[in-house]
Amino acid sequence: MTEPRGVAAVVPATIGGAVLAGLWRAELTFQAGCRPETIGACLSWRIPVLLLGPVVVAVGSWLVLRAAGAARPLLATSLGVLATAGVTLLHQAGRSGWNPPSVLLAALFAAFGFTVGVVVAGLRMPVALRAALAVLLAVPVVLFPTIKESGTRDGRVENFARLGLPLLVPEVGAYRVVAARADPAGGQLSLVLADGPRRLSVDTIRVPPDFAPPQRCGPSAVEVSLRGTVSLPPSNGPCQRFAADHWLRTENGHPVHLLRRGDALVLVSPGVDVPDRDVAAAAGQLVEVSPRELAALLG
């Protein structure tokens, strides 16, 4: 194979990588500002394009390689995809959440990945050496879950520490923390605990300025849990005293416990088929943990 022929595949890969990154970033911006009023309102045309786009780019690169008369076009394409995926995943591993690279960076990743794929597939070398290089290119993809999990845990610890709120977790029966969302800007920690199909929600927010039980007991549990996703009319309904700094009110026929801990207000609310005794037990057994301990509870 002559190298220039194979490198021709870098062009569609580079363009495709840049386009896909641009669409990904546009979709995230759209999702962040979307407030659904109907089911599917936040599903844009970009989602199927992003799902099928990498396949289209790979096929296009393979066709260019074949048309250019490059040796081993399928192997070159496969290694190009593998190398591009590896460098992209390494970029993601060091970041919290899933944030696409910039358009320029995505183009560089694709250009690098397919150049590597073309070179490894095209140069004359022993089969064993080519196989070893292919395995080496697969290492970032294989190790990504472990690296990402470590980075995600560190990101969670940082977010929990930035909240400025007590991290209160119930110790009740077989319930375990299965989800946690920290919003440092909004001053809110939302936990979901599960025991089989049963779910408990524990939301910690800053005490509202007009909090004055039993007449004004702050926002409802539903309003708090849906903050940032669905806008609901603000509520500040009454409640009844349950114990010191502990109140109770009924929402949609279910008990919601409100507890004050310094400048924080904790709302403990049940999901479907959760016994009232479990809700009361959770509210009565709140334990403060450190940011790292809370991150460890999520696995």
Side-chain angles (χ1 to χ4, degrees):
M1 181 193 99
T2 58
E3 293 299 324
R5 292 182 183 179
V7 172
V10 171
V11 176
T14 302
I15 296 174
V19 170
L20 290 174
L23 291 174
W24 187 359
R25 296 175 75 88
E27 181 62 23
L28 288 181
T29 301
F30 171 73
Q31 293 289 340
C34 183
R35 296 294 181 267
E37 296 181 356
T38 60
I39 296 176
C42 288
L43 298 178
S44 80
W45 59 270
R46 285 179 290 265
I47 293 178
V49 173
L50 287 169
L51 292 174
L52 296 175
V55 177
V56 173
V57 172
V59 171
S61 300
W62 172 70
L63 291 174
V64 170
L65 283 171
R66 288 199 60 186
R72 307 180 190 89
L74 182 59
L75 177 61
T77 301
S78 301
L79 293 179
V81 170
L82 191 61
T84 302
V87 69
T88 303
L89 290 176
L90 286 177
H91 174 264
Q92 287 294 313
R95 306 165 73 90
S96 60
W98 286 90
N99 301 297
S102 67
V103 172
L104 177 59
L105 200 56
L108 291 175
F109 287 168
F112 169 80
F114 273 80
T115 299
V116 169
V118 166
V119 170
V120 172
L123 289 181
R124 292 184 178 181
M125 64 179 72
V127 174
L129 177 58
R130 200 187 311 276
L133 290 174
V135 171
L136 184 63
L137 291 177
V139 168
V141 178
V142 174
L143 293 182
F144 171 74
T146 301
I147 300 172
K148 183 65 175 178
E149 182 180 352
S150 176
T152 299
R153 186 181 297 111
D154 291 342
R156 285 173 178 163
V157 171
E158 181 181 352
N159 272 345
F160 294 151
R162 290 170 51 206
L163 273 173
L165 293 169
L167 307 178
L168 298 167
V169 180
E171 290 187 350
V172 52
Y175 286 89
R176 296 293 179 267
V177 177
V178 295
R181 180 174 64 90
D183 178 12
Q188 179 175 336
L189 172 67
S190 297
L191 305 178
V192 176
L193 291 87
D195 176 8
R198 296 174 176 172
R199 295 289 187 273
L200 279 171
S201 295
V202 181
D203 295 288
T204 304
I205 61 175
R206 296 188 180 96
V207 175
D210 57 352
F211 184 71
Q215 290 80 23
R216 296 189 300 276
C217 298
S220 67
V222 173
E223 182 185 346
V224 170
S225 64
L226 294 179
R227 279 181 179 174
T229 56
V230 178
S231 297
L232 295 177
S235 59
N236 195 6
C239 56
Q240 63 186 51
R241 189 176 185 275
F242 188 86
D245 289 331
H246 186 168
W247 301 269
L248 178 67
R249 71 180 172 203
T250 301
E251 297 182 17
N252 299 319
H254 300 290
V256 174
H257 289 256
L258 301 92
L259 304 99
R260 181 164 188 168
R261 294 291 185 269
D263 293 330
L265 181 65
V266 184
L267 294 86
V268 182
S269 57
V272 179
D273 295 330
V274 175
D276 292 355
R277 64 178 180 275
D278 287 2
V279 189
Q285 300 181 60
L286 293 173
V287 176
E288 185 168 358
V289 298
S290 70
R292 192 161 297 279
E293 288 171 334
L294 179 53
L297 290 175
L298 293 165

